[in-house]
């Protein structure tokens, strides 16, 4: 998973606008704000769609 | 081409997706009757984008307008394109020049903080958004613009004149292209809290609304 850190710095969670951090092992961008949604990264392209997010258990 | 309803099963669905990026490109080239570069450069000029600006292109599709916008904001600026179709974002990312990035994201939930952009531009995208979600999308354009930031919306004023082009674009986009009435565009922009600065049309079939946050 190749996500530039400057891109992560300017992105926000599309659901709650929280900051996103990369979870390299899971190939996900995870919201560190209130909702904790996890967005899949497929072929190095994050899918920042709320309806495709994995919600915390 | 018949008027089919958009295929939206629920409110969370971002809108009609473009699946055939190359076919869509071909349809766009034919549909603009060779005017695409001129028309899109004109839209970028109308948006007021200047060197150093951060510009967001909503519903960027294959990224043609985003790439033209990037030329206007360099040096020092940056152009970002978003589209809910991961396939067109992969296509656009492979062709992204310097100062140009793309993200898979919906107009109704833009993955950027408040005030992230100087200019928001969107061409031929509003008609892809389910009608019920359009006010939410406009509210997002308002949110991600800085105070005083500028919005330029362009959409069809009627369906593409050439049936062949309409069929190509329609097949690739997996839905029927329906025009958006001019008063709907201006109504959406005003209701979202923007002040309209300019409206007009461009051949072959575009209408546009310019506004300021």
């Amino acid at each position: 998973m190749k996500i530039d850190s400057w891109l992560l710095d300017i992105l926000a969670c599309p659901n709650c606008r929280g900051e996103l951090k990369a979870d390299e092992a899971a190939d996900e961008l995870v919201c560190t704000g209130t909702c904790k949604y996890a967005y899949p990264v497929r072929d190095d392209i994050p899918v920042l769609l709320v309806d495709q997010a994995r919600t915390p258990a | 081409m018949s008027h089919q309803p958009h295929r939206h099963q629920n409110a969370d669905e971002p809108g009609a997706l473009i699946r055939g990026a190359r076919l869509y490109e071909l349809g766009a080239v034919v549909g603009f009757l060779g005017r695409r570069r001129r028309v899109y450069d004109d839209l970028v000029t109308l948006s007021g984008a200047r060197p150093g600006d951060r510009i967001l292109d909503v519903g960027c599709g294959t990224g043609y307008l985003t790439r033209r916008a990037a030329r206007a904001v360099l040096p020092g600026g940056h152009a970002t394109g978003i589209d809910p179709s991961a396939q067109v974002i992969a296509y656009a990312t492979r062709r992204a020049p310097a100062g140009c990035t793309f993200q898979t994201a919906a107009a109704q939930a833009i993955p950027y903080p408040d005030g992230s952009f100087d200019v928001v531009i969107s061409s031929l995208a509003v008609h892809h958004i389910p009608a019920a979600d359009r006010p939410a999308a406009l509210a997002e354009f308002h949110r991600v613009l800085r105070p005083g930031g500028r919005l330029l919306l362009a959409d069809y004023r009627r369906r593409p004149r050439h049936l062949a082009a309409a069929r190509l674009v329609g097949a690739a986009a997996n839905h029927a292209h329906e025009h958006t009435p001019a008063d709907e565009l201006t109504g959406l922009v005003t209701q979202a809290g923007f002040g309209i600065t300019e409206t007009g049309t461009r051949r072959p079939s575009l209408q546009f609304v310019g506004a300021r946050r």
Side-chain angles (χ1 to χ4, degrees):
Chain A
M1 183 167 104
K2 296 178 297 184
I3 304 294
D4 291 339
S5 60
W6 71 269
L7 268 177
L8 271 185
D9 289 344
I10 58 170
L11 285 171
C13 170
N15 186 52
C16 77
R17 325 292 173 223
E19 290 183 18
L20 297 173
K21 71 170 170 54
D23 181 338
E24 301 276 349
D27 267 352
E28 287 177 337
L29 297 186
V30 182
C31 174
T32 63
T34 53
C35 77
K36 314 294 183 198
Y37 283 13
Y39 300 90
V41 179
R42 300 184 187 125
D43 299 329
D44 295 330
I45 295 182
V47 180
L48 298 170
L49 300 172
V50 173
D51 63 351
Q52 304 223 1
R54 186 174 59 76
T55 55
Chain B
M1 197 167 120
S2 64
H3 271 269
Q4 295 168 350
H6 285 88
R7 296 174 190 178
H8 306 300
Q9 307 307 322
N10 59 61
D12 291 329
E13 198 173 320
L17 298 180
I18 299 169
R19 300 191 193 283
R22 294 172 67 188
L23 190 61
Y24 190 90
E25 274 293 289
L26 180 58
V29 168
V30 176
F32 274 100
L33 312 175
R35 294 192 188 94
R36 183 162 71 154
R37 176 175 296 188
R38 197 188 322 157
V39 169
Y40 275 22
D41 283 347
D42 197 17
L43 293 180
V44 172
T45 302
L46 285 165
S47 80
R50 294 184 295 243
D53 277 351
R54 302 156 298 167
I55 185 167
L56 176 69
D57 177 14
V58 179
C60 64
T62 48
Y64 186 83
L65 177 62
T66 325
R67 294 191 293 274
R68 301 310 297 177
R71 295 168 65 98
V73 299
L74 291 174
H78 192 90
T80 303
I82 63 169
D83 196 283
S85 164
Q87 192 197 54
V88 291
I89 291 301
Y91 178 98
T93 299
R94 287 196 298 272
R95 284 157 186 76
C100 201
T101 52
F102 295 91
Q103 295 295 337
T104 308
Q108 305 93 304
I110 297 176
Y112 292 93
D114 299 0
S116 292
F117 298 96
D118 303 295
V119 180
V120 169
I121 191 167
S122 181
S123 177
L124 305 185
V126 171
H127 70 274
H128 287 263
I129 302 168
D133 292 347
R134 287 174 196 166
L138 267 290
E140 280 290 87
F141 301 172
H142 194 271
R143 181 185 68 77
V144 299
L145 273 172
R146 65 163 170 80
R150 295 174 304 279
L151 172 70
L152 188 84
L153 287 188
D155 212 335
Y156 290 118
R157 56 190 158 102
R158 57 170 186 267
R159 288 189 291 156
R161 189 189 336 210
H162 282 216
L163 192 58
R167 282 198 176 130
L168 276 174
V169 171
N174 195 31
H175 74 113
H177 274 69
E178 297 172 36
H179 74 167
T180 309
D183 56 351
E184 188 198 333
L185 270 192
T186 55
L188 283 167
V189 170
T190 305
Q191 283 156 30
F194 290 96
I196 290 177
T197 53
E198 195 174 8
T199 61
T201 58
R202 286 293 182 274
R203 293 174 69 197
S205 55
L206 290 184
Q207 55 173 321
F208 68 85
V209 179
R212 190 172 284 272
R213 183 192 155 161

